[in-house]
Amino acid sequence: MMRNSTEQLLRIFVAVFAMTASCPLASATDGTSNKLPCPVPFELGDAQFPPGDNITIVQVRGTSEKIIVGGTYSVDGTYTLNSRDEAQLAFYATTSSTNSTPVDQKQKTQVKKGSGSFHLVKTMNEDGYLHVSFYPGAFGVYFGQGNRVLRSKLPVRSVSLAGPNQALLEYLGNPVGPPANLDARYTREGLTNAVQLAARQAGITVKRVVIEDSEYPFLVGVFCEGSDAVKLKTQIKKLDGYDYSGAVGNDSNADGGDTCDTFSMVPPQAHPKEALQAIAHRLLLRQQVFYNKLVSQP
């Protein structure tokens, strides 16, 4: 009888061990401990940084090996910040939802200029693309698993370059490159800082600033709340050395929810004289393409 009891206990122990071997101590944590139980395999996605900045993800752990809504995940890594004296380093998820989600203090930390390491923890209250980014500016790196990774490449579709399309291409001309002596105010960093300054003067907080620098003048994309876009526009117009050249977006959304606008802040007098016509022909279309790209990303 004793032998049978011993064998039965042994079988139970083996079964429990087998269930927990891939994710040790899973039953002994509620997801709030410093070290979550499961190593999480991950892939890197889109990454954008000002020159001299970088974020490297070393390890991801979680309450499960798969990234799912409701799970809690930690990310460990290193950073280098050279573009400014300090920034907030945060672990967020990009979603298409306009509903706000709670932000835990463990998701963010303040870092100083230089290099260091970080440990951030987030619970997936929403279905979205994970990333660790510097704020203000939202410069960072996306990561995740499979189709939960925001990647930089967009689908390529075949487009005819003959007929009416040919006439449009001739009208648009070639992209204009930035001047060799580009004013620092109109660089990626200069534009980002100007938007943040305008936001502070307007008494608002912008959620995300994206710079499109494929050609000159660089374009600005801004996400903010409700009618804040109108307040931001007013302050941008007051900044010395900047302009507000029409916008493509939904800044009339005064009833709440995020807005997205794309625009140019580079005044016409800063455009190379030989490229004025090409810039004028391309600017509005570029803003529309940039806007479509931003709002199509979850």
Side-chain angles (χ1 to χ4, degrees):
M1 185 71 175
M2 180 66 69
R3 179 180 178 183
N4 291 339
S5 298
T6 303
E7 291 177 350
Q8 185 177 10
L9 287 173
L10 182 60
R11 285 196 296 270
I12 293 173
F13 175 78
V14 171
V16 171
F17 178 80
M19 287 188 293
T20 60
S22 63
C23 192
L25 302 180
S27 61
T29 180
D30 60 0
T32 60
S33 62
N34 187 53
K35 189 172 183 180
L36 291 160
C38 303
V40 178
F42 65 93
E43 308 165 50
L44 296 178
D46 185 57
Q48 293 187 18
F49 297 100
D53 290 1
N54 190 51
I55 296 171
T56 300
I57 296 175
V58 176
Q59 175 184 241
V60 179
R61 301 186 68 89
T63 48
S64 67
E65 296 177 346
K66 187 175 181 181
I67 297 174
I68 57 174
V69 175
T72 297
Y73 303 91
S74 67
V75 56
D76 293 89
T78 60
Y79 70 88
T80 298
L81 179 68
N82 284 318
S83 63
R84 67 193 86 172
D85 291 334
E86 62 178 335
Q88 184 182 92
L89 185 64
F91 178 15
Y92 291 144
T94 297
T95 74
S96 57
S97 172
T98 58
N99 298 324
S100 60
T101 56
V103 176
D104 192 284
Q105 290 301 311
K106 295 190 291 294
Q107 288 181 236
K108 55 187 181 178
T109 184
Q110 203 71 14
V111 298
K112 300 290 186 180
K113 188 173 185 177
S115 298
S117 60
F118 63 86
H119 173 81
L120 302 171
V121 181
K122 170 181 169 55
T123 296
M124 285 285 287
N125 296 306
E126 65 287 283
D127 190 4
Y129 296 102
L130 295 176
H131 61 98
V132 177
S133 301
F134 290 120
Y135 290 87
F139 296 110
V141 56
Y142 282 85
F143 67 97
Q145 297 172 334
N147 60 4
R148 288 180 179 271
V149 185
L150 182 62
R151 307 180 191 279
S152 58
K153 293 183 179 180
L154 297 176
V156 177
R157 293 176 290 181
S158 177
V159 177
S160 172
L161 301 181
N165 280 353
Q166 181 64 39
L168 287 174
L169 288 173
E170 291 175 356
Y171 172 80
L172 289 173
N174 293 316
V176 177
N181 57 341
L182 179 61
D183 191 316
R185 291 175 294 184
Y186 311 136
T187 62
R188 172 186 283 270
E189 182 180 0
L191 293 169
T192 301
N193 291 339
V195 171
Q196 296 296 343
L197 173 60
R200 290 195 296 272
Q201 293 176 343
I204 66 171
T205 300
V206 294
K207 294 189 173 182
R208 187 181 176 200
V209 181
V210 186
I211 306 299
E212 200 287 296
D213 59 359
S214 64
E215 59 182 276
Y216 187 81
F218 299 168
L219 299 180
V220 181
V222 175
F223 290 85
C224 55
E225 285 189 8
S227 60
D228 285 354
V230 177
K231 300 174 185 177
L232 181 66
K233 180 195 305 183
T234 300
Q235 292 302 320
I236 288 176
K237 292 179 178 179
K238 295 179 180 180
L239 294 179
D240 183 38
Y242 294 97
D243 195 7
Y244 189 92
S245 301
V248 172
N250 58 344
D251 62 1
S252 62
N253 184 8
D255 297 327
D258 289 355
T259 66
C260 174
D261 293 284
T262 58
F263 49 88
S264 171
M265 292 175 60
V266 182
Q269 56 266 34
H271 299 168
K273 292 182 178 179
E274 67 276 9
L276 286 174
Q277 187 178 62
I279 289 175
H281 286 180
R282 299 175 65 88
L283 193 57
L284 182 59
L285 180 59
R286 288 182 59 214
Q287 290 174 2
Q288 183 66 64
V289 171
F290 186 29
Y291 172 80
N292 291 346
K293 179 180 179 181
L294 289 181
V295 299
S296 67
Q297 296 176 347

